[in-house]
Amino acid sequence: MSYDYSSLQATAVRLIARFGTSGTLIQRGAPTGPQNRPTYGPDTTTAIMAVSMMVEAKDDGGETETEEELIVSVSGLSAVSIAAGDRIDWQGKTFSIVSVAPLRPGPTTLYWKVMVRHG
């Protein structure tokens, strides 16, 4: 017997929708052609809601850097997979996804925790 996480997923989606801002997940199209010089198809886009949190980290020199971290709720959570290298258009800026960690207790993705960099 496994736990049904759908109510937790609904809560996560509802809270991110309430406190978040809409944006667009941009994923590179499928590669075709030779492996050493692929041609990519058109980008695909998916509507998302995102909540921003600032993250402070120390670099190699001990300087404090502030990066923006987004917690992302994607429409149709089960149908979309987010990966490093994808991009997010959010609040008038384009962010590159550096790392992704889905919160997935069992088979249900509650939300995606995404580290992004502007530019």
Side-chain angles (χ1 to χ4, degrees), residues 1-78:
M1 185 170 131
S2 65
Y3 182 77
D4 180 11
Y5 289 95
S6 60
S7 64
L8 289 176
Q9 181 187 42
T11 299
V13 169
R14 187 177 69 252
L15 288 172
I16 292 172
R18 180 176 176 191
F19 296 106
T21 307
S22 62
T24 304
L25 172 67
I26 304 166
Q27 297 175 302
R28 181 182 266 183
T32 60
Q35 235 178 350
N36 61 340
R37 288 186 3 228
T39 302
Y40 293 94
D43 292 344
T44 59
T45 60
T46 304
I48 62 169
M49 291 297 292
V51 176
S52 174
M53 298 182 342
M54 299 306 288
V55 176
E56 288 189 1
K58 300 267 185 195
D59 67 9
D60 294 338
E63 296 291 319
T64 300
E65 295 180 344
T66 302
E67 295 184 3
E68 192 154 13
E69 180 177 336
L70 301 180
I71 296 178
V72 179
S73 172
V74 179
S75 301
L77 286 170
S78 60

Side-chain angles (χ1 to χ4, degrees), residues 52-118:
S52 174
M53 298 182 342
M54 299 306 288
V55 176
E56 288 189 1
K58 300 267 185 195
D59 67 9
D60 294 338
E63 296 291 319
T64 300
E65 295 180 344
T66 302
E67 295 184 3
E68 192 154 13
E69 180 177 336
L70 301 180
I71 296 178
V72 179
S73 172
V74 179
S75 301
L77 286 170
S78 60
V80 175
S81 179
I82 302 173
D86 292 345
R87 299 179 317 267
I88 292 178
D89 280 344
W90 189 67
Q91 293 190 336
K93 300 177 187 173
T94 300
F95 296 89
S96 298
I97 297 176
V98 177
S99 65
V100 179
L103 179 61
R104 186 180 293 148
T108 304
T109 301
L110 300 182
Y111 65 84
W112 297 85
K113 187 172 182 180
V114 178
M115 178 66 77
V116 297
R117 290 209 172 89
H118 178 57

